[in-house]
């Protein structure tokens, strides 16, 4: 068995879906299980519709839903011939009726509770999977539409739920294996699941990758194929740096570290289930099947370049906290550190990077996490502990490669190439394979380009293309 995941850009319209059907046809031998994201920008539109509805702006809500409905039905009509439109189109219509009712509910509530939002966002994947399954059947590829809400069981952290592994494994095997054995292609929604009680949950940004990895681990699949509209994992975000090259091979550790430090090519948690079961992850381009893509495994072999890829995150904020040298005795650095962690944990603000010494604590967080009331709460609490200084409009650029940590020596050659960079802070050590540099937010692009030009001036042809 293999698991194939298709992202939103790979199924954004009828011609993309046709291409996806033909890709699936080439993989029928190894028995594919298909996981699909919402079409194009559907999830964002659903989010906008939910917010507009809660704000009492029914005009905007109705407009957004009408646009979504029209685009889904138009693409469906282009995919199905008249005699097979029946089932799939009826399902699409039914989903839009359900969606309209849920959105009306929000207008009455006047707010968007996280639980209600997940229920609404799930329709993006419910719609795309119904259309893809219909398109496969229409093309003679026997597909069975499954409901991930009955298979992926999660905790109740709406918006970023985590699968309950043993329960989900059992459900995946029980529901998907028989379909595969019957010779059919199971098609299920990425990104969504439900709590033990059955309330719909979502797994967070790019969560479909995570679904694919969880399903593959449960089925002990032979391979995970992530189909996107980029050639693979690249040496830098191709949207930021057009000369980026494709990384043909990298390790689970490198991929996990890259996604953690901002490479949006994969869901941050998708690497772990694959690594735990030693299932290779392949990233392929759905618009160019002949391209090499990226293979992620435990042992990708040697590489002359120490760095495999450059990731970035912006905007981030640097929070500095020092003990206040006031009369009455300052608190110890240990207590200061612990109190600082507690304040961020109270608001569930993840720290991207943290450093502490006798003189104080530095924590780097996503700037979005410090917006509004949450930010005020954090600032006030930290001010109660010590002297706080927050610098916003910063970015973190991270160099990642197993080679940086393998030698047991500091990667001084690589670091010396940073000489010209106007970096404000350097982190190396917590993960030996990563060097992170804090720079001004507006300088991220130039810094990535400069680093790329130096670090990949010569490339190991066996690893990059
Ligand atoms: P999908 O619709 O399949 O989820 P996306 O549009 O999310 O596909 O594609 C992945 C995105 O990841 C691209 O927009 C690309 O700009 C971004 N990205 C960031 N870092 C990298 C990287 N190192 N390699 C490839 N893509 C990257
Ligand atoms: Mg995406």
């Amino acid at each position: 068995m293999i698991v194939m995941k298709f992202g939103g850009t790979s199924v954004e319209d009828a011609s993309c879906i046709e291409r996806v059907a033909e890709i699936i046809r080439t993989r029928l031998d190894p028995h594919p299980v298909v996981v699909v994201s919402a079409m194009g920008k559907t999830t964002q539109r659903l989010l906008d519709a939910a917010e507009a509805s809660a704000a009492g702006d029914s005009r905007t809500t109705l407009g957004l839903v009408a646009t979504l409905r029209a685009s889904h039905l138009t693409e469906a009509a282009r995919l199905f011939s008249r005699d097979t439109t029946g089932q799939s189109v009826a399902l699409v219509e039914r989903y839009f009726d359900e969606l309209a009712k849920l959105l009306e509910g929000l207008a009455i509530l006047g707010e968007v509770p996280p639980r209600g939002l997940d229920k609404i966002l799930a329709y993006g994947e419910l719609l795309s999977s119904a259309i893809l399954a219909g398109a496969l059947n229409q093309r003679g590829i026997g597909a069975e539409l499954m409901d991930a809400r009955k298979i992926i069981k999660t905790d109740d952290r709406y918006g970023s739920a985590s699968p309950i592994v043993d329960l989900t494994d059992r459900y995946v095997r029980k529901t998907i294996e028989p379909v595969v054995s019957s010779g059919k292609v199971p098609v299920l929604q990425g990104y969504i699941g439900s709590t033990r009680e059955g309330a719909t949950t979502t797994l967070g940004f790019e969560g479909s990758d995570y679904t694919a990895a969880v399903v593959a681990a449960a089925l002990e699949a032979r391979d995970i194929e992530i189909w996107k509209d980029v050639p693979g994992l690249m040496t830098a975000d191709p949207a930021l740096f057009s000369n980026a090259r494709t990384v043909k091979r990298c390790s689970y550790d490198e991929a996990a570290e890259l996604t953690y430090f901002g490479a949006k090519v994969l869901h941050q948690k998708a690497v772990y289930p694959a690594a735990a079961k030693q299932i290779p992850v392949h990233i392929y381009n759905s618009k160019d099947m002949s391209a090499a893509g990226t293979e992620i495994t435990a042992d990708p072999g040697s590489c002359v370049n120490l760095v495999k890829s450059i990731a970035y995150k912006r905007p981030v904020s640097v929070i500095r906290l020092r003990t206040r040298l006031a009369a009455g005795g300052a608190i110890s650095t240990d207590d200061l550190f612990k109190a600082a962690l507690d304040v961020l944990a109270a608001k569930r603000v993840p720290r991207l990077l943290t450093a502490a010494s006798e003189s104080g604590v530095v924590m780097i967080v996503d700037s979005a996490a410090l917006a509004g009331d949450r930010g005020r709460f954090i600032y006030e609490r930290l001010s109660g502990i010590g002297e706080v200084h927050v610098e916003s409009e910063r970015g973190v650029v991270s160099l990642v490669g197993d080679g940086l940590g393998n030698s047991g020596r500091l990667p001084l050659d690589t670091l010396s190439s940073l000489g010209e960079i106007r970096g404000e802070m350097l982190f190396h050590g917590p993960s030996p394979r990563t060097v992170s540099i804090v720079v001004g937010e507006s300088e991220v692009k130039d810094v990535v380009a400069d680093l790329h030009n130096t670090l990949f001036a010569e490339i190991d042809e066996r690893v990059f293309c």
Side-chain angles (χ1 to χ4, degrees):
M1 254 182 280
I2 63 168
V3 175
M4 307 177 78
K5 178 257 166 172
F6 295 92
T9 45
S10 298
V11 292
E12 65 191 351
D13 59 28
S15 46
C16 289
I17 294 173
E18 257 163 28
R19 206 177 300 129
V20 163
E22 292 316 311
I23 293 173
I24 293 171
R25 197 191 295 285
T26 66
R27 301 292 201 266
L28 292 178
D29 268 353
H31 301 290
V33 175
V34 172
V35 175
V36 65
S37 301
M39 288 165 70
K41 302 269 172 281
T42 303
T43 309
Q44 184 59 46
R45 300 240 161 84
L46 290 171
L47 179 63
D48 294 344
E51 280 170 356
S53 185
D57 183 356
S58 61
R59 232 181 115 109
T60 304
T61 312
L62 292 175
L64 284 163
V65 175
T67 310
L68 279 177
R69 191 169 184 278
S71 66
H72 280 82
L73 287 172
T74 307
E75 301 311 322
R78 285 171 59 198
L79 284 163
F80 306 137
S81 65
R82 239 175 252 127
D83 47 326
T84 47
T85 41
Q87 255 190 348
S88 298
V89 169
L91 194 52
V92 169
E93 302 262 19
R94 199 185 88 204
Y95 285 151
F96 275 106
D97 291 344
E98 291 173 8
L99 189 57
K101 288 212 184 73
L102 289 169
L103 288 166
E104 273 168 33
L106 290 187
I108 296 162
L109 270 181
E111 60 168 338
V112 189
R115 179 176 166 152
L117 181 62
D118 275 3
K119 199 162 180 182
I120 286 171
L121 295 182
Y123 280 87
E125 275 71 16
L126 290 169
L127 288 161
S128 63
S129 58
I131 293 175
L132 177 60
L136 290 172
N137 281 319
Q138 163 95 51
R139 279 156 187 75
I141 301 170
E144 182 148 330
L145 181 61
M146 324 264 313
D147 188 340
R149 294 172 300 181
K150 299 203 172 100
I151 302 172
I152 309 293
K153 300 308 278 184
T154 73
D155 60 21
D156 62 358
R157 279 186 67 173
Y158 298 101
S160 59
S162 296
I164 305 164
V165 177
D166 47 345
L167 198 58
T168 298
D169 279 4
R170 232 179 317 131
Y171 277 72
V172 167
R173 285 197 288 266
K174 202 172 76 187
T175 55
I176 296 180
E177 272 175 359
V179 176
V180 174
S181 304
S182 76
K184 285 200 169 170
V185 177
V187 175
L188 76 154
Q189 309 77 28
Y191 179 63
I192 67 174
S194 74
T195 63
R196 284 177 200 269
E197 292 72 35
T200 304
T201 51
T202 63
L203 308 183
F205 181 77
E206 297 291 309
S208 297
D209 297 339
Y210 196 15
T211 306
V214 166
V215 168
L219 297 171
E220 309 212 322
R222 193 177 91 186
D223 203 351
I224 302 172
E225 299 184 350
I226 309 276
W227 291 84
K228 312 193 68 95
D229 75 338
V230 286
L233 172 77
M234 308 196 67
T235 50
D237 181 355
L240 191 79
F241 183 69
S242 56
N243 291 333
R245 314 284 286 257
T246 305
V247 183
K248 285 191 278 187
R249 299 190 306 266
C250 78
S251 67
Y252 293 125
D253 288 326
E254 289 171 325
E257 201 74 3
L258 279 164
T259 57
Y260 177 79
F261 283 105
K264 290 188 174 145
V265 65
L266 211 57
H267 185 288
Q268 202 184 309
K269 290 185 244 172
V271 180
Y272 304 115
K277 292 276 173 79
Q278 301 275 304
I279 305 169
V281 179
H282 285 94
I283 302 175
Y284 293 126
N285 187 350
S286 65
K287 312 257 157 86
D288 179 9
M289 268 196 86
S290 63
T294 301
E295 181 180 71
I296 307 170
T297 56
D299 183 14
S302 64
C303 177
V304 174
N305 299 70
L306 296 187
V307 172
K308 289 269 179 66
S309 179
I310 307 171
Y312 67 95
K313 225 171 199 175
R314 68 173 174 187
V316 300
S317 296
V318 178
I319 305 173
R320 295 173 196 271
L321 184 66
R322 289 168 194 273
T323 44
R324 197 174 279 127
L325 298 172
I331 66 169
S332 74
T333 328
D334 282 3
D335 289 342
L336 184 84
F337 189 33
K338 195 170 166 303
L341 297 186
D342 285 347
V343 171
L344 293 198
K347 289 288 167 188
R348 284 192 168 158
V349 172
R351 288 163 288 111
L352 185 62
L353 285 160
T354 310
S357 77
E358 220 25 54
S359 60
V361 183
V362 175
M363 298 179 293
I364 300 183
V365 304
D366 211 315
S367 293
L370 296 185
D373 289 345
R374 194 147 79 139
R376 267 190 295 282
F377 171 93
I378 289 168
Y379 191 81
E380 275 162 24
R381 283 297 170 89
L382 291 177
S383 301
I385 308 167
E387 231 162 77
V388 197
H389 183 69
V390 180
E391 291 159 25
S392 52
E393 295 173 15
R394 291 292 175 276
V396 173
V397 176
S398 301
L399 314 177
V400 177
D402 286 340
L404 288 174
N406 279 352
S407 64
R409 282 176 295 153
L410 281 174
L412 291 179
D413 286 351
T414 304
L415 295 180
S416 72
S417 67
L418 308 178
E420 301 299 309
I421 305 288
R422 263 183 294 158
E424 298 166 8
M425 235 184 280
L426 190 68
F427 286 80
H428 177 63
S431 159
R433 61 180 57 80
T434 303
V435 173
S436 295
I437 312 153
V438 178
V439 301
E441 183 187 347
S442 60
E443 289 176 67
V444 166
K445 188 173 176 173
D446 289 343
V447 169
V448 169
D450 286 350
L451 288 170
H452 197 286
N453 290 337
T454 315
L455 296 169
F456 297 102
E458 277 169 51
I459 59 160
D460 188 332
E461 304 279 350
R462 296 168 307 167
V463 180
F464 304 96
C465 65

